[in-house]
């Protein structure tokens, strides 16, 4: 848990994650793009559970729905679920080394991706296979960098 939270760092990190979520990517690599907003929701809910929670995660997911032009509420529900799951395990998660935190990031972002994929399937999307889980894998690989970077920036500016 961070002792001092820098709200400008939070706002900039959310803005950057939203831009990265809709930024242009080579078509071949598009399936491997990390779930940037999911990582940021995970980070801030993990580091400051009293200030950032389910309602804020839902609002950020709704904003992502608007940016990605997906049906309203799909990403909102998934981000709220991620925040809820992080809130339920954040005290244990704090004691884990970074490698186990990466595993938890993979699991929670994987649940996020599965929920979004399931809802899109129910709405008629035709996508088969497990390729929708690649953002969870790459998100888990990027987690140590995101965590250390945001911790250092928040300590300096907070």
């Amino acid at each position: 848990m961070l002792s001092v939270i820098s709200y400008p760092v939070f706002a900039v990190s959310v803005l950057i994650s939203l831009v990265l979520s809709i930024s242009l990517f080579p078509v071949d690599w598009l399936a491997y793009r990390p779930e940037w907003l999911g990582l940021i929701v995970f980070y801030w809910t993990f580091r400051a559970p009293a200030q950032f929670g389910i309602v804020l995660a839902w609002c950020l997911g709704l904003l992502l729905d608007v940016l990605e032009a997906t049906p309203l509420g799909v990403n909102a529900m998934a981000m709220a679920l991620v925040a809820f799951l992080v809130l339920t395990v954040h005290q244990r998660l704090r004691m884990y080394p970074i490698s186990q935190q990466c595993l938890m990031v993979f699991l929670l972002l994987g649940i996020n991706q599965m929920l979004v994929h399931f809802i899109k399937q129910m709405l008629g999307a035709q996508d088969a296979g497990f390729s929708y889980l690649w953002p969870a894998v790459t998100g888990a690989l990027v987690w140590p960098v995101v965590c250390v970077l945001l911790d250092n920036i928040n300590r300096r500016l907070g």
Side-chain angles (χ1 to χ4, degrees), residues 38-147:
L39 281 171
I40 296 302
V41 166
F42 187 98
Y43 176 81
W44 287 107
T45 308
F46 170 56
R47 290 294 188 215
Q51 289 84 5
F52 308 102
I54 298 169
V55 174
L56 185 59
W58 183 83
C59 292
L60 293 175
L62 199 61
L63 185 58
L64 185 62
D65 283 332
V66 170
L67 288 174
E68 289 183 345
T70 56
L72 284 179
V74 174
N75 286 311
M77 184 171 50
M79 291 299 156
L81 179 65
V82 168
F84 171 74
L85 293 173
V86 171
L87 286 172
T88 58
V89 297
H90 81 277
Q91 290 183 350
R92 277 182 269 153
L93 193 60
R94 227 179 284 141
M95 294 187 290
Y96 291 166
I98 198 77
S99 60
Q100 287 181 339
Q101 287 180 11
C102 287
L103 180 62
M104 288 300 292
V105 167
F106 169 71
L107 291 173
L108 295 181
L109 290 182
I111 290 170
N112 173 25
Q113 292 298 318
M114 285 182 201
L115 181 62
V116 168
H117 181 74
F118 175 73
I119 293 171
K120 285 181 179 179
Q121 288 290 318
M122 296 295 287
L123 294 174
Q126 298 297 322
D127 185 28
F130 290 100
S131 62
Y132 62 89
L133 286 176
W134 280 115
V137 173
T138 56
L141 294 174
V142 172
W143 171 250
V145 175
V146 170
C147 187

